[in-house]
Amino acid sequence: MRTMKVLAPGIEVNGIKISIEEINAEVQYHPAESLLSAKYEAMKALVIREVLIQRAAEMGLCQRAEAIKNPDSIIEDLLDKEINVPEADEETCKRYYGQNKEKFFTSPLFEVSHILYMAPPDDEKARSEALSRATVALEKIKSAPDLFEAVAKEESACSSAKDGGRLGQISRGQTMPAFERLLFQMRAGEISEAPVPTEVGYHIIKVHERVDGKQLPFENVQEWIAQDLHEKSWNKAFNQYIQLLIGRSKISGFRLEGAQSPLVQ
C-alpha cells in the first residue's frame, strides 16, 4: 500500500519525539472518511503507544530501545499487569439477561420473493421512473395476486427474476436495511402495500412463509454475556488507564479530542 503523506507538526511525549515521518507512515493503518481524520487517528495511536512504552520501561518491564522493536508484546505484558477486571458472575449475567431479553431472540426466518425496479440513489429521473413502474405493477398484482411470479419474470431487474422473484430463505442481516425493516413487519401471505425504496431501487415484496424467532434461554447465552460484559469492563478500565498516563505526561503537538485531561495545552 502506498504511504500517504500528510502535513503535521512533530509531537513530543515526555521529551521523546514522534516525527512527521512516523505519522506519515502510520496514517495508512487508519482508514477514515478523510485524510484529516486518518491523520488524527494515526497521531493518537502513536501518542498512546508511546505513553504505554514509557510506562513499561518505568516499571522495569523493558528498555525503551527494546520495546520500540517489539511494542505489541511489551504493551500486552504491561496491560496484563496493570489492568485487572473481574469476571462477571452468574448473578450479574442473569440481571443483564433479564434487562435485555429482546437481544436474545433467534432471528425470524422468511421465505421471500421480490420484484426489483432498479435505479441508483443519485438519479432522480431514474428513481421517479422506477417508482412509477413499480406502482403500476403493484396495482396489477393487488388485483390479481397470482400474477406476481409472471411480473417478476418479465420485469424484475434482479437475477431472481428467472425464478419468479424467489430469494429463498432470509434471516436478519441478509438484506439491505430498508428492505429488512419492512420485511420484519410483514406476515405470511402478505405483499408490500407500496413499493419499498432502497439504495438500488424499488421493490415489491411478497412473504410466502414466516417463522418467528424464539427467546433463547439464559443457559445458551450466559457465556456470551459474561464475555461481553468483561470486554466492556476491560475497555472502560483501559480508557481510564490511558487517561491517567496521559494526565501525568508532558505532551506537545497534539490534543486528544474528548479527553478529560487535554494532551496538549
Side-chain angles (χ1 to χ4, degrees):
M1 180 177 177
R2 185 178 177 183
T3 301
M4 293 186 289
K5 296 294 183 183
V6 298
L7 296 176
I11 300 170
E12 282 195 14
V13 181
N14 296 320
I16 299 297
K17 291 185 178 181
I18 298 173
S19 69
I20 294 174
E21 289 72 25
E22 288 176 282
I23 296 168
N24 285 330
E26 181 71 18
V27 165
Q28 62 185 309
Y29 302 114
H30 301 274
E33 293 181 357
S34 68
L35 181 57
L36 184 62
S37 296
K39 181 179 72 173
Y40 171 80
E41 293 301 324
M43 295 166 74
K44 180 174 73 172
L46 291 171
V47 166
I48 290 174
R49 186 181 73 177
E50 183 57 42
V51 296
L52 289 170
I53 288 173
Q54 290 184 20
R55 174 59 178 164
E58 179 187 349
M59 292 180 63
L61 299 179
C62 65
Q63 297 293 323
R64 188 177 180 283
E66 171 193 353
I68 291 299
K69 296 176 184 177
N70 190 21
D72 291 344
S73 63
I74 296 296
I75 289 172
E76 184 177 352
D77 190 23
L78 170 68
L79 296 179
D80 284 343
K81 288 178 169 57
E82 294 273 80
I83 300 179
N84 295 301
V85 177
E87 299 292 336
D89 59 22
E90 184 173 348
E91 182 181 351
T92 301
C93 292
K94 282 184 175 179
R95 184 165 56 250
Y96 182 85
Y97 175 80
Q99 294 171 348
N100 298 275
K101 279 193 171 183
E102 70 281 357
K103 292 184 178 181
F104 304 110
F105 272 83
T106 59
S107 172
L109 189 63
F110 299 86
E111 185 77 27
V112 181
S113 292
H114 83 140
I115 303 170
L116 170 62
Y117 295 87
M118 189 173 290
D122 54 352
D123 189 331
E124 292 185 9
K125 181 179 179 182
R127 297 289 289 187
S128 178
E129 290 175 354
L131 175 58
S132 178
R133 292 181 61 209
T135 301
V136 170
L138 182 56
E139 289 303 315
K140 183 191 302 184
I141 291 168
K142 285 181 178 179
S143 300
D146 290 344
L147 289 177
F148 188 99
E149 184 175 340
V151 173
K153 287 182 176 179
E154 183 177 347
E155 299 189 16
S156 181
C158 178
S159 60
S160 64
K162 63 182 185 299
D163 299 315
R166 281 192 174 264
L167 296 173
Q169 291 186 339
I170 290 177
S171 60
R172 190 182 306 277
Q174 293 185 310
T175 62
M176 290 167 286
F179 190 106
E180 182 176 288
R181 280 193 297 272
L182 191 283
L183 176 63
F184 275 43
Q185 297 173 26
M186 296 176 66
R187 298 190 298 269
E190 285 189 335
I191 294 172
S192 52
E193 285 293 320
V196 181
T198 71
E199 54 265 44
V200 298
Y202 287 88
H203 309 253
I204 301 171
I205 302 173
K206 180 176 181 179
V207 176
H208 301 281
E209 298 290 342
R210 171 176 178 149
V211 179
D212 286 328
K214 295 181 180 180
Q215 180 76 57
L216 292 168
F218 171 72
E219 292 74 18
N220 288 26
V221 296
Q222 180 179 358
E223 184 177 344
W224 182 90
I225 292 173
Q227 181 179 351
D228 184 58
L229 291 177
H230 183 269
E231 288 178 359
K232 288 176 180 176
S233 295
W234 192 94
N235 288 336
K236 182 178 180 180
F238 173 76
N239 288 331
Q240 292 173 341
Y241 178 65
I242 292 300
Q243 290 295 337
L244 178 64
L245 294 182
I246 284 170
R248 64 184 227 180
S249 298
K250 183 178 180 181
I251 302 170
S252 61
F254 182 70
R255 178 188 291 272
L256 182 62
E257 293 176 1
Q260 293 178 356
S261 300
L263 281 182
V264 171
Q265 297 294 347

